[in-house]
Amino acid sequence: MKALLDTKTKYFFFGGKGGVGKTVVSAAVALYYAERGERTLLASFNPVHSLSSLFGQNLSGGAIKPVEGVDNLYAVEVEIGDVVEKYKERVTTLLRELFKWAELPVDTKPLVDIATTNPSFHEAAAFDKMMDVVLNEGKNYSRVIFDMAAVANAVRLIGLSKLYGLWLQRTIKMRQEALSLRYQLAFRKEKVMEEIKKDPVLNDLIALQDRYAKVREILRDPEQTRFVFVTIPTVLSISVVKRFIDMVKAYEIPIGGVVVNMVIPPEEIERDKTGFLKSKGEEQAKNLELIDRYFGSLVLSRVKMFPEDIVGLDRLRQFVKELVK
């Protein structure tokens, strides 16, 4: 793990099956960098945020806030609902512009309502916000750590970096063809040409494509970005990571590795007189062999299971020691 953290990688994405501790791992990595003197941003894109509980302070509201008690550490719980509303306003404006030229008296509200009920609309809005964090906020920090949703959502969100580009290309082409047709049919071509140059829809789409191209370049660059999976030694969690590693590779996102969390320490098994931990330990031992077989050199760290929840800075610092040892 330390070898990965000592690279110059700026953007880390942490994902995994629900309940494996990915928020704790991402917060621990953010704390590690901050306490080394690096200005660090921890951004939660998990719909069910837990950074506020973890740090014992209110980090909600969608604004970046300094984490009390740690110099150089800032955190934000991205409010997806707010992001979706802003994205909805943007789509409404685009549709109005489209229909205005066609001189069609269409009420865009039902169209927008239908579009926004699609789950992919929420992911597109979240991806737009992620671009904001990378391109705008990222300039102010040495490291940016993303705590992602459950791995399926995270991979789909990251995957939009590829699909988004294809959609933009097609939409821009359609708009350019429509503008070309309007120019050909116009009597006052000079006036129409001036309108075309200022077309807000086309200009907005081209600006979006430029942002996408920059983010896409960053997401595909192993010198700048790594996706790290978090798992625990259970068959279900392992199988989820195994399946989604291939998906992340297909989207050309560099893999950082796999953190194995909640491993029962051998000394605790020895101390337990009930036999319960012995049974769980034997099960974990088989699954750890499975992890080695599936992921091999991708395994970054095996972190022991703590007897209490990781809440507060003191316990998080203990977790960092185990993670980076």
Side-chain angles (χ1 to χ4, degrees), residues 104-120:
L104 293 173
V106 176
D107 180 6
T108 56
K109 186 176 182 306
L111 297 174
V112 173
D113 288 343
I114 291 171
T116 53
T117 55
N118 190 326
S120 61

Side-chain angles (χ1 to χ4, degrees), residues 27-38:
V29 169
L31 180 65
Y32 173 81
Y33 282 128
E35 294 199 322
R36 282 164 48 118
E38 299 195 46

